[in-house]
Amino acid sequence: DAGVTQSPTHLIKTRGQQVTLRCSPKSGHDTVSWYQQALGQGPQFIFQYYEEEERQRGNFPDRFSGHQFPNYSSELNVNALLLGDSALYLCASSSVAGGETQYFGPGTRLLVL
Amino acid sequence: AQTVTQSQPEMSVQEAETVTLSCTYDTSESDYYLFWYKQPPSRQMILVIRQEAYKQQNATENRFSVNFQKAAKSFSLKISDSQLGDAAMYFCAYRLSGGYNKLIFGAGTRLAVHP
């Protein structure tokens, strides 16, 4: 049973560029949540997708956008990258049947220069 | 707004000994979940244990157990018979019950295990 997968594992971008991160949920899960974890801090909620719609959003600017596909996989897009966007981006999947516990992927480390 | 506080930035324990990590939270809700996640240097956030607020019995998973004090809004994690592989960052997290609610994390506690 494959767990949550994310790609790429590492990414280096320059200020002003755009980036797309990808996530495939655990088998049987239909909900994907994205978190940003700055160095030395706990993860911060970005947004959550269910049935291809954004269900909930944290305190992040509109530069952060997402998408969920019919197969429940998801993308996180960040436009006009800032140095402060450098972080570990975590994807978590869950389902109602699974008690809504969120299971995390290995993350994508983004460095903005 | 709900908040989660971990007051111990770092903790250490000798192999085979017991250690307790502290977590407090603030909420006006009565129905919620609490979690402990472990994040080793590999970065993967791994679920350690989960507690439903409506359950009075403390959750246990092998060497890991919690002390859930709902009135005090306290949720500590006890690791028994500590192993070198337990060394990691430990995050306490809160989530409202129902719907598809976000996890709110504490700042984490770094646990070192000494042989």
Side-chain angles (χ1 to χ4, degrees):
Chain A
D1 179 21
V4 181
T5 60
Q6 292 187 243
S7 63
T9 55
H10 296 84
L11 206 51
I12 300 174
K13 293 286 188 178
T14 56
R15 281 179 298 174
Q17 285 189 311
Q18 179 264 346
V19 69
T20 297
L21 310 182
R22 295 175 177 82
C23 171
S24 291
K26 185 178 169 69
S27 178
H29 286 185
D30 54 13
T31 302
V32 173
S33 303
W34 287 92
Y35 295 83
Q36 180 195 66
Q37 186 178 19
L39 197 61
Q41 298 182 22
Q44 298 292 317
F45 175 75
I46 303 175
F47 43 52
Q48 185 178 80
Y49 277 84
Y50 171 70
E51 292 188 338
E52 302 180 50
E53 290 187 359
E54 183 181 290
R55 278 298 189 100
Q56 198 177 24
R57 188 178 183 91
N59 188 25
F60 279 80
D62 292 344
R63 298 187 298 108
F64 289 76
S65 63
H67 187 77
Q68 186 179 35
F69 299 93
N71 66 352
Y72 308 119
S73 66
S74 177
E75 288 182 349
L76 163 65
N77 300 293
V78 187
N79 294 322
L81 284 166
L82 304 174
L83 296 180
D85 294 332
S86 296
L88 179 66
Y89 289 84
L90 296 166
C91 167
S93 73
S94 57
S95 70
V96 174
E100 301 179 46
T101 296
Q102 294 186 16
Y103 294 89
F104 286 81
T108 294
R109 172 76 66 190
L110 173 65
L111 178 60
V112 182
L113 301 176
Chain B
Q2 296 90 8
T3 58
V4 177
T5 302
Q6 294 180 250
S7 59
Q8 305 155 316
E10 296 182 354
M11 292 283 286
S12 66
V13 63
Q14 293 293 127
E15 202 174 2
E17 297 295 308
T18 296
V19 65
T20 298
L21 308 184
S22 301
C23 173
T24 59
Y25 59 95
D26 187 24
T27 183
S28 57
E29 305 290 337
S30 60
D31 196 8
Y32 51 86
Y33 296 94
L34 295 165
F35 304 85
W36 279 97
Y37 284 90
K38 168 186 176 182
Q39 188 176 41
S42 66
R43 309 178 325 206
Q44 179 104 34
M45 193 78 76
I46 301 164
L47 177 67
V48 175
I49 200 164
R50 155 188 155 141
Q51 174 80 43
E52 292 89 341
Y54 66 86
K55 290 186 177 179
Q56 291 188 341
Q57 185 174 7
N58 289 322
T60 299
E61 287 289 343
N62 301 315
R63 298 182 295 108
F64 299 87
S65 61
V66 298
N67 183 4
F68 173 47
Q69 302 290 329
K70 191 171 184 179
K73 297 179 183 176
S74 171
F75 183 61
S76 61
L77 174 69
K78 185 172 81 171
I79 307 174
S80 304
D81 186 25
S82 296
Q83 300 176 0
L84 295 177
D86 295 333
M89 283 292 290
Y90 285 82
F91 291 96
C92 178
Y94 163 99
R95 185 178 69 75
L96 268 177
S97 180
Y100 295 91
N101 290 296
K102 63 185 179 184
L103 283 167
I104 299 171
F105 286 87
T109 297
R110 182 174 300 280
L111 177 67
V113 181
H114 302 292

